[in-house]
C-alpha cells in the first residue's frame, strides 16, 4: 500500500520496472526522467542507480509521488530493488517484455523470477496494480501483441505497446499502473 504522510500531505507509491536484460527498463526510466526533470536536475545515471521519484498532480490536497524503480538485470542486483523496498509493499509493477522473437524464453524466465520474488513477499502479480509493456515493437519480425499476451499476461492485466528508445508508449505505461494504484487507494 502506498505511504500516506498526512502531515506533509504526500502520497508515495513504489513502482518496480522488471524484465529481462536489454528489454528497455532503464530506457523507460531515462525517458521519463528526461521529459519530467527541471533543467538543473542532474541526468539519471544507470550505474548504481535503481530509479528516481516522479511527482504527479495533487489529489484532494495531497501531492502524489511515484518512486520509479527498476530491477537491474545483473544477477547480483536481482533482489536489490526488493531489498531496498524492504518490508514495505510494492505498490505497482511494470513488466517490460522484449518483442524480439529470440527473447521469447527470456521474457518467460524473467516473469517467473518476478512472480517468485513477489510470492516470497506474500504478493500475487494478478492482485497488484500492474501492467505489461511490450517494448521494441519496431524490431524486424517482432512477436505480435497477441503472442506476447498469451505467453506472459495470464492475468489479463492492462498492457500496451512501446518503443521506449523513441519514447513511444512510455508515459502510457506509467499511466496504466498509476491508475491502478490510485484505484487501490480509493477502494
Amino acid at each position: 500500500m502506498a505511504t500516506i504522510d498526512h502531515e506533509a500531505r504526500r502520497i508515495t507509491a513504489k513502482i518496480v520496472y522488471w524484465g529481462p536484460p536489454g528489454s528497455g527498463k532503464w530506457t523507460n526510466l531515462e525517458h521519463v526522467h528526461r521529459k519530467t526533470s527541471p533543467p538543473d536536475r542532474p541526468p539519471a545515471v544507470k550505474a548504481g542507480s535503481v530509479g528516481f521519484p516522479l511527482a504527479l498532480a495533487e489529489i484532494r490536497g495531497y501531492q502524489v509521488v511515484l518512486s520509479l524503480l527498476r530491477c537491474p538485470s545483473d544477477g547480483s542486483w536481482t533482489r536489490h530493488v526488493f531489498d531496498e523496498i524492504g518490508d514495505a509493499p510494492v505498490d505497482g509493477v511494470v513488466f517490460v517484455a522484449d518483442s524480439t522473437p529470440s527473447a521469447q524464453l527470456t521474457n518467460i524466465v524473467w516473469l517467473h523470477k518476478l512472480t517468485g520474488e513477489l510470492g516470497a513477499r506474500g504478493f500475487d502479480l494478478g492482485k497488484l496494480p500492474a501492467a505489461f509493456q511490450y517494448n521494441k515493437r519496431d524490431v524486424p519480425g517482432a512477436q505480435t501483441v497477441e503472442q506476447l499476451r498469451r505467453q506472459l499476461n495470464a492475468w489479463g492485466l492492462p498492457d500496451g505497446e512501446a518503443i521506449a528508445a523513441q519514447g513511444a508508449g512510455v508515459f502510457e505505461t506509467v499511466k496504466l499502473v498509476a491508475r491502478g494504484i490510485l484505484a487501490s487507494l480509493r477502494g
Side-chain angles (χ1 to χ4, degrees):
M1 184 75 156
T3 304
I4 301 173
D5 182 340
H6 294 289
E7 188 175 314
R9 303 198 58 80
R10 182 178 171 135
I11 299 169
T12 305
K14 296 176 183 112
I15 299 174
V16 174
Y17 278 67
W18 190 282
S23 62
K25 301 174 298 292
W26 184 253
T27 305
N28 271 272
L29 296 184
E30 192 175 45
H31 180 77
V32 171
H33 187 275
R34 189 173 51 251
K35 293 294 183 182
T36 62
S37 296
D40 59 341
R41 185 175 182 183
V45 178
K46 187 174 186 177
S49 174
V50 294
F52 57 89
L54 172 65
L56 300 180
E58 283 191 10
I59 296 177
R60 295 185 184 175
Y62 283 76
Q63 176 68 50
V64 177
V65 177
L66 301 177
S67 183
L68 302 179
L69 307 166
R70 72 174 169 105
C71 183
S73 300
D74 175 344
S76 66
W77 282 71
T78 302
R79 294 178 178 256
H80 183 72
V81 169
F82 288 104
D83 291 343
E84 182 175 301
I85 292 171
D87 294 331
V90 173
D91 302 303
V93 175
V94 172
F95 186 86
V96 181
D98 186 337
S99 296
T100 306
S102 62
Q104 180 179 359
L105 182 59
T106 307
N107 284 328
I108 293 167
V109 167
W110 278 83
L111 179 59
H112 285 289
K113 287 182 181 189
L114 171 61
T115 57
E117 289 291 336
L118 291 171
R121 289 160 177 78
F123 299 109
D124 177 348
L125 180 61
K127 295 180 181 172
L128 287 172
F132 281 84
Q133 180 191 80
Y134 309 122
N135 192 24
K136 300 187 179 183
R137 299 304 305 149
D138 58 336
V139 299
Q143 296 180 73
T144 68
V145 171
E146 284 308 314
Q147 288 172 315
L148 291 161
R149 279 186 185 130
R150 275 194 312 276
Q151 294 163 11
L152 304 171
N153 194 355
W155 302 269
L157 294 167
D159 60 10
E161 300 179 61
I163 304 171
Q166 298 173 12
V170 171
F171 282 101
E172 290 79 1
T173 303
V174 174
K175 289 175 189 175
L176 288 174
V177 177
R179 281 187 201 119
I181 291 170
L182 294 175
S184 71
L185 287 172
R186 289 184 194 110

